Amino acid sequence: MLDLTEDQLAFRDDVRTFVAEEIRPNAIELDQTETYPADILAELGDRRLTGLTIPEAYGGMGEGHLELVVLIEEFSTALMSVSSSLALHLGVAGVIEQFGTDDQRETYLPEMATFDTVGALGLSEAGAGANKLEMETTATREGNEWVLEGHKQWVTNYFDADYVLTYAKTGPDEDAPHNISAFLVPTEAFDVEEVWGTLGAWSVKSPRVRLEDVRVDDDARVGAVGEAYVQRGTLHNGVNVPARGVGIARAALEDTVAYLQEREQYQQPVGDFQGVRWAVGEMAERVETARFHTYRAAAKADAGEDVTKAFAMAKLNASDAAIENANDAIRFLGGRGYTTDHHVERYLRDAQLLTIAGGPNDVHRNTLADAVFDEYSNQAK
């Protein structure tokens, strides 16, 4: 289940070459200047990689979750912001493909596959972080229109996006979770309220934006009225988050090994010291374990199986691996690792986001514990 096919290995190798030639040489500059990787994403559009999971009938590549995590891991070894931008875009496309109308699929997906139309996600709010059901944004129906009021934050891709897939309450709280609908709202309909300075992920901004008396036609609604949040829960594009962690953890390991082989102290390479070698072995264990869990979650998603436990394990393992390996890389590179002349300080900054993105890790620990108790309690009966 976890071995890549020859086609998947060839795909990975092609992406790895692109990353080495086009992304990594520019990563530090893009990060430090907080520059959106527009040229890189445009090239990915030309290659249809921005349509990786979009069906071939709409100009995409029609690949699954396993190919997605392979792609996201490779991009994250160089610049996680590229992975974030692409994954959020594909997530919006996935909602349109699964729950949209034929007209919506034909209108949006072909240009999303080429990145000529860019999607952003409007889900989180100031009071709706871990529990999205507490969102306050509303959509009130007036004839054939919906009137949206409220705000969204952490809207990745917003400044380059054409549409924000916006979730809003369309029914009373007592109907939750069957009281939330989704709408494709043009970005120009929003007002930007806040552009935060953040610890990491500097190349792609995720601002807070507001909707005031914004009207959209009913044909902007994606999915059934009141069912958007429930429908969203059946999609598994979230496996991109642990895949980012695997990529960062692997990059930290690779940079560490390269440095330790050339750096000498006490008349020998630092990598020859036993304590150092053991620690590097532990870094490799983290990468392999995180990748195993991430591939397994993706494979289960592709097979239509329940991914609840597998995804929680992947998210926790991969985010921890990214942070621990980035910390170790800085420790081994010493003063060099603390400078922006090297990549490893960025790995640590970017990795911190992964404990929050896709839901806080403590929430996933609860989910994992619930799944384990359900599974083993049933086995004991």
Side-chain angles (χ1 to χ4, degrees):
M1 179 178 70
L2 301 178
D3 291 331
L4 299 180
T5 66
E6 289 187 7
D7 286 344
Q8 289 167 338
L9 288 170
F11 171 70
R12 182 201 66 187
D13 292 343
D14 285 344
V15 173
R16 189 169 291 181
T17 298
F18 177 82
V19 168
E21 294 177 353
E22 303 295 336
I23 302 181
R24 189 172 176 86
N26 301 302
I28 291 176
E29 181 180 359
L30 287 169
D31 178 70
Q32 290 298 305
T33 59
E34 302 186 19
T35 300
Y36 186 76
D39 291 343
I40 292 171
L41 289 163
E43 177 63 22
L44 296 181
D46 291 341
R47 294 168 178 251
R48 294 297 192 273
L49 289 172
T50 49
L52 179 74
T53 54
I54 294 174
E56 292 181 82
Y58 300 104
M61 297 179 68
E63 301 291 1
H65 293 89
L66 192 51
E67 288 81 7
L68 175 66
V69 300
V70 168
L71 181 74
I72 295 300
E73 175 186 335
E74 295 305 322
F75 287 162
S76 298
T77 63
L79 186 61
M80 192 188 73
S81 292
V82 174
S83 301
S84 304
S85 181
L86 177 58
L88 269 295
H89 169 78
L90 285 172
V92 172
V95 173
I96 297 171
E97 191 262 316
Q98 288 291 318
F99 308 115
T101 63
D102 288 341
D103 184 62
Q104 288 171 338
R105 285 189 282 268
E106 292 168 2
T107 299
Y108 297 107
L109 293 183
E111 290 201 349
M112 293 187 79
T114 59
F115 217 62
D116 290 310
T117 293
V118 180
L121 176 63
L123 182 60
S124 294
E125 298 180 5
N131 183 6
K132 301 298 190 294
L133 293 176
E134 295 181 353
M135 68 175 63
E136 297 179 354
T137 298
T138 60
T140 304
R141 189 157 195 170
E142 293 185 2
N144 196 47
E145 290 185 324
W146 293 88
V147 183
L148 283 82
E149 297 277 352
H151 80 278
K152 295 295 171 182
Q153 62 186 37
W154 311 123
V155 186
T156 300
N157 275 348
Y158 175 81
F159 291 107
D160 200 62
D162 298 286
Y163 294 93
V164 178
L165 182 65
T166 306
Y167 287 77
K169 284 185 176 178
T170 52
D173 290 344
E174 55 265 29
D175 289 344
H178 303 282
N179 65 332
I180 294 174
S181 304
F183 305 86
L184 283 170
V185 182
T187 51
E188 60 264 25
F190 294 81
D191 293 318
V192 177
E193 287 192 327
E194 185 81 33
V195 183
W196 289 283
T198 54
L199 176 66
W202 290 350
S203 292
V204 179
K205 300 301 181 183
S206 301
R208 173 184 168 117
V209 295
R210 177 160 293 280
L211 295 152
E212 292 186 1
D213 193 31
V214 171
R215 294 173 178 267
V216 296
D217 290 339
D218 186 54
D219 60 14
R221 174 174 48 83
V222 182
V225 175
E227 299 301 320
Y229 186 79
V230 175
Q231 290 173 334
R232 181 174 185 79
T234 66
L235 301 179
H236 304 299
N237 188 66
V239 292
N240 84 84
V241 177
R244 293 187 232 171
V246 176
I248 290 175
R250 193 187 101 208
L253 170 62
E254 291 173 347
D255 287 10
T256 297
V257 170
Y259 179 76
L260 294 177
Q261 288 177 325
E262 69 177 29
R263 175 67 167 169
E264 291 192 358
Q265 290 286 277
Y266 304 103
Q267 292 78 53
Q268 69 180 98
V270 175
D272 286 351
F273 291 98
Q274 186 181 63
V276 171
R277 297 174 70 83
W278 286 2
V280 171
E282 290 177 359
M283 293 175 73
E285 285 184 57
R286 294 180 196 130
V287 174
E288 295 294 334
T289 301
R291 183 184 289 119
F292 170 84
H293 284 293
T294 302
Y295 277 20
R296 183 175 65 173
K300 282 181 173 291
D302 286 334
E305 299 176 14
D306 182 10
V307 303
T308 303
K309 185 177 77 170
F311 175 71
M313 285 184 172
K315 172 75 158 58
L316 295 169
N317 272 276
S319 56
D320 287 347
I323 291 172
E324 291 171 6
N325 276 15
N327 264 319
D328 280 350
I330 291 174
R331 178 163 61 94
F332 285 127
L333 269 69
R336 296 186 187 186
Y338 196 65
T339 71
T340 57
D341 290 339
H342 292 262
H343 297 273
V344 295
E345 61 83 29
R346 184 181 71 256
Y347 300 155
L348 182 59
R349 289 188 286 105
D350 286 354
Q352 300 293 334
L353 175 62
L354 301 178
T355 66
I356 305 167
N361 274 9
D362 284 345
V363 171
H364 288 285
R365 289 187 177 93
N366 286 335
T367 300
L368 175 58
D370 290 343
V372 170
F373 272 93
D374 287 345
E375 178 181 347
Y376 286 91
S377 295
N378 290 333
Q379 289 181 4
K381 292 178 181 178

